[in-house]
Amino acid sequence: AQRVTQPEKLLSVFKGAPVELKCNYSYSGSPELFWYVQYSRQRLQLLLRHISRESIKGFTADLNKGETSFHLKKPFAQEEDSAMYYCALRSTSGTYKYIFGTGTRLKVLA
Amino acid sequence: EAQVTQNPRYLITVTGKKLTVTCSQNMNHEYMSWYRQDPGLGLRQIYYSMNVEVTDKGDVPEGYKVSRKEKRNFPLILESPSPNQTSLYFCATQQGSYEQYFGPGTRLTVT
């Protein structure tokens, strides 16, 4: 079954500390993986996608097919990073069916 | 300005009273989708549409209907709402394989 697991509901870190938001997936095939972010009182928006291999707002995520993981990392957290983060998987069968994880709330403490 | 709009933004209704939540986009995107967001469950896809007259079920379609008669609109219909459909609903659009653009959300309460 297709599944996305985000084991942490809440992650609190101090400003300047490294951040890692975990995401594991289950999918029979080669999925497309994304991180979406929802800041307070804002719409859900794309943060990054694995095929672009870019860094957005200092965040990176590497797809590890062996461990079926797509963890989101940032070396130095900022207070403005506080938000809800969702890992998402998209089917590559051409139908664009999405599976989202349950989300991790990141709180960056001053 | 590129927009995804949802109406109403807030709705309180009673069990069994049919309702429709509208979603409209001005970006000429082919793909549209509906999600519900519940505490501890994250976002779950209800239905999606690859193009006009093409719709398919997501993970939680029970109790919902959709239609895609024109590209810009993708209404979500609850024929007989029940309290377990109390949730925050999001519409999203996408063009090709690019990112999804989400609407502002509709908070529905069914009593």
Side-chain angles (χ1 to χ4, degrees), chain B residues 2-14:
Chain B
Q3 284 195 57
V4 181
T5 57
Q6 294 179 226
N7 282 294
R9 294 289 313 281
Y10 303 91
L11 179 60
I12 300 174
T13 189
V14 296

PDB file of all heavy atoms in Angstrom, chain B residues 2-14:
ATOM      1  N   ALA B   2      -2.903  35.283 -10.240  1.00  0.00           N
ATOM      2  CA  ALA B   2      -3.252  33.862 -10.208  1.00  0.00           C
ATOM      3  C   ALA B   2      -3.990  33.552  -8.914  1.00  0.00           C
ATOM      4  O   ALA B   2      -3.541  33.931  -7.836  1.00  0.00           O
ATOM      5  CB  ALA B   2      -1.986  33.021 -10.297  1.00  0.00           C
ATOM      6  N   GLN B   3      -5.139  32.883  -9.048  1.00  0.00           N
ATOM      7  CA  GLN B   3      -5.947  32.639  -7.861  1.00  0.00           C
ATOM      8  C   GLN B   3      -6.636  31.293  -7.878  1.00  0.00           C
ATOM      9  O   GLN B   3      -7.051  30.805  -8.932  1.00  0.00           O
ATOM     10  CB  GLN B   3      -7.043  33.705  -7.748  1.00  0.00           C
ATOM     11  CG  GLN B   3      -6.589  35.054  -7.273  1.00  0.00           C
ATOM     12  CD  GLN B   3      -7.787  35.894  -6.866  1.00  0.00           C
ATOM     13  OE1 GLN B   3      -8.572  35.497  -6.005  1.00  0.00           O
ATOM     14  NE2 GLN B   3      -7.933  37.036  -7.499  1.00  0.00           N
ATOM     15  N   VAL B   4      -6.754  30.723  -6.689  1.00  0.00           N
ATOM     16  CA  VAL B   4      -7.633  29.588  -6.440  1.00  0.00           C
ATOM     17  C   VAL B   4      -8.577  30.050  -5.341  1.00  0.00           C
ATOM     18  O   VAL B   4      -8.126  30.402  -4.255  1.00  0.00           O
ATOM     19  CB  VAL B   4      -6.856  28.341  -5.980  1.00  0.00           C
ATOM     20  CG1 VAL B   4      -7.834  27.184  -5.754  1.00  0.00           C
ATOM     21  CG2 VAL B   4      -5.794  27.955  -6.989  1.00  0.00           C
ATOM     22  N   THR B   5      -9.846  30.087  -5.646  1.00  0.00           N
ATOM     23  CA  THR B   5     -10.812  30.585  -4.661  1.00  0.00           C
ATOM     24  C   THR B   5     -11.782  29.483  -4.276  1.00  0.00           C
ATOM     25  O   THR B   5     -12.127  28.622  -5.093  1.00  0.00           O
ATOM     26  CB  THR B   5     -11.595  31.790  -5.197  1.00  0.00           C
ATOM     27  OG1 THR B   5     -12.246  31.408  -6.423  1.00  0.00           O
ATOM     28  CG2 THR B   5     -10.674  32.964  -5.484  1.00  0.00           C
ATOM     29  N   GLN B   6     -12.209  29.537  -3.030  1.00  0.00           N
ATOM     30  CA  GLN B   6     -13.172  28.575  -2.499  1.00  0.00           C
ATOM     31  C   GLN B   6     -14.306  29.346  -1.833  1.00  0.00           C
ATOM     32  O   GLN B   6     -14.064  30.344  -1.158  1.00  0.00           O
ATOM     33  CB  GLN B   6     -12.522  27.660  -1.455  1.00  0.00           C
ATOM     34  CG  GLN B   6     -11.458  26.747  -1.991  1.00  0.00           C
ATOM     35  CD  GLN B   6     -10.844  25.879  -0.912  1.00  0.00           C
ATOM     36  OE1 GLN B   6      -9.633  25.749  -0.831  1.00  0.00           O
ATOM     37  NE2 GLN B   6     -11.657  25.267  -0.067  1.00  0.00           N
ATOM     38  N   ASN B   7     -15.512  28.833  -2.021  1.00  0.00           N
ATOM     39  CA  ASN B   7     -16.677  29.415  -1.345  1.00  0.00           C
ATOM     40  C   ASN B   7     -17.657  28.330  -0.929  1.00  0.00           C
ATOM     41  O   ASN B   7     -17.879  27.374  -1.693  1.00  0.00           O
ATOM     42  CB  ASN B   7     -17.390  30.400  -2.287  1.00  0.00           C
ATOM     43  CG  ASN B   7     -16.666  31.717  -2.358  1.00  0.00           C
ATOM     44  OD1 ASN B   7     -16.591  32.453  -1.378  1.00  0.00           O
ATOM     45  ND2 ASN B   7     -16.081  31.995  -3.506  1.00  0.00           N
ATOM     46  N   PRO B   8     -18.228  28.463   0.281  1.00  0.00           N
ATOM     47  CA  PRO B   8     -17.896  29.488   1.273  1.00  0.00           C
ATOM     48  C   PRO B   8     -16.598  29.181   1.994  1.00  0.00           C
ATOM     49  O   PRO B   8     -16.035  28.102   1.817  1.00  0.00           O
ATOM     50  CB  PRO B   8     -19.097  29.393   2.237  1.00  0.00           C
ATOM     51  CG  PRO B   8     -19.465  27.937   2.187  1.00  0.00           C
ATOM     52  CD  PRO B   8     -19.243  27.514   0.760  1.00  0.00           C
ATOM     53  N   ARG B   9     -16.108  30.098   2.765  1.00  0.00           N
ATOM     54  CA  ARG B   9     -14.914  29.851   3.564  1.00  0.00           C
ATOM     55  C   ARG B   9     -15.272  29.165   4.882  1.00  0.00           C
ATOM     56  O   ARG B   9     -14.473  28.402   5.416  1.00  0.00           O
ATOM     57  CB  ARG B   9     -14.209  31.175   3.853  1.00  0.00           C
ATOM     58  CG  ARG B   9     -13.641  31.866   2.609  1.00  0.00           C
ATOM     59  CD  ARG B   9     -12.425  31.115   2.064  1.00  0.00           C
ATOM     60  NE  ARG B   9     -11.493  30.773   3.117  1.00  0.00           N
ATOM     61  CZ  ARG B   9     -10.641  31.625   3.644  1.00  0.00           C
ATOM     62  NH1 ARG B   9     -10.574  32.875   3.217  1.00  0.00           N
ATOM     63  NH2 ARG B   9      -9.818  31.236   4.609  1.00  0.00           N
ATOM     64  N   TYR B  10     -16.442  29.437   5.370  1.00  0.00           N
ATOM     65  CA  TYR B  10     -16.911  28.816   6.613  1.00  0.00           C
ATOM     66  C   TYR B  10     -18.367  28.408   6.423  1.00  0.00           C
ATOM     67  O   TYR B  10     -19.142  29.148   5.824  1.00  0.00           O
ATOM     68  CB  TYR B  10     -16.817  29.793   7.794  1.00  0.00           C
ATOM     69  CG  TYR B  10     -15.437  30.330   8.024  1.00  0.00           C
ATOM     70  CD1 TYR B  10     -15.018  31.503   7.409  1.00  0.00           C
ATOM     71  CD2 TYR B  10     -14.542  29.663   8.864  1.00  0.00           C
ATOM     72  CE1 TYR B  10     -13.737  31.990   7.609  1.00  0.00           C
ATOM     73  CE2 TYR B  10     -13.270  30.155   9.074  1.00  0.00           C
ATOM     74  CZ  TYR B  10     -12.877  31.310   8.451  1.00  0.00           C
ATOM     75  OH  TYR B  10     -11.614  31.792   8.659  1.00  0.00           O
ATOM     76  N   LEU B  11     -18.707  27.233   6.931  1.00  0.00           N
ATOM     77  CA  LEU B  11     -20.081  26.758   6.791  1.00  0.00           C
ATOM     78  C   LEU B  11     -20.425  25.851   7.964  1.00  0.00           C
ATOM     79  O   LEU B  11     -19.680  24.916   8.263  1.00  0.00           O
ATOM     80  CB  LEU B  11     -20.247  25.998   5.475  1.00  0.00           C
ATOM     81  CG  LEU B  11     -21.633  25.408   5.190  1.00  0.00           C
ATOM     82  CD1 LEU B  11     -22.679  26.509   5.138  1.00  0.00           C
ATOM     83  CD2 LEU B  11     -21.616  24.631   3.878  1.00  0.00           C
ATOM     84  N   ILE B  12     -21.551  26.157   8.586  1.00  0.00           N
ATOM     85  CA  ILE B  12     -22.110  25.290   9.610  1.00  0.00           C
ATOM     86  C   ILE B  12     -23.446  24.800   9.088  1.00  0.00           C
ATOM     87  O   ILE B  12     -24.287  25.615   8.689  1.00  0.00           O
ATOM     88  CB  ILE B  12     -22.298  26.030  10.944  1.00  0.00           C
ATOM     89  CG1 ILE B  12     -20.945  26.545  11.455  1.00  0.00           C
ATOM     90  CG2 ILE B  12     -22.927  25.106  11.997  1.00  0.00           C
ATOM     91  CD1 ILE B  12     -21.051  27.427  12.696  1.00  0.00           C
ATOM     92  N   THR B  13     -23.643  23.488   9.086  1.00  0.00           N
ATOM     93  CA  THR B  13     -24.870  22.939   8.545  1.00  0.00           C
ATOM     94  C   THR B  13     -25.327  21.772   9.409  1.00  0.00           C
ATOM     95  O   THR B  13     -24.680  21.425  10.395  1.00  0.00           O
ATOM     96  CB  THR B  13     -24.671  22.503   7.083  1.00  0.00           C
ATOM     97  OG1 THR B  13     -25.928  22.157   6.506  1.00  0.00           O
ATOM     98  CG2 THR B  13     -23.749  21.297   7.003  1.00  0.00           C
ATOM     99  N   VAL B  14     -26.454  21.208   9.023  1.00  0.00           N
ATOM    100  CA  VAL B  14     -27.013  20.098   9.785  1.00  0.00           C
ATOM    101  C   VAL B  14     -26.921  18.811   8.981  1.00  0.00           C
ATOM    102  O   VAL B  14     -26.858  18.831   7.738  1.00  0.00           O
ATOM    103  CB  VAL B  14     -28.469  20.369  10.188  1.00  0.00           C
ATOM    104  CG1 VAL B  14     -28.550  21.562  11.134  1.00  0.00           C
ATOM    105  CG2 VAL B  14     -29.341  20.597   8.967  1.00  0.00           C
TER     106      VAL B  14
END
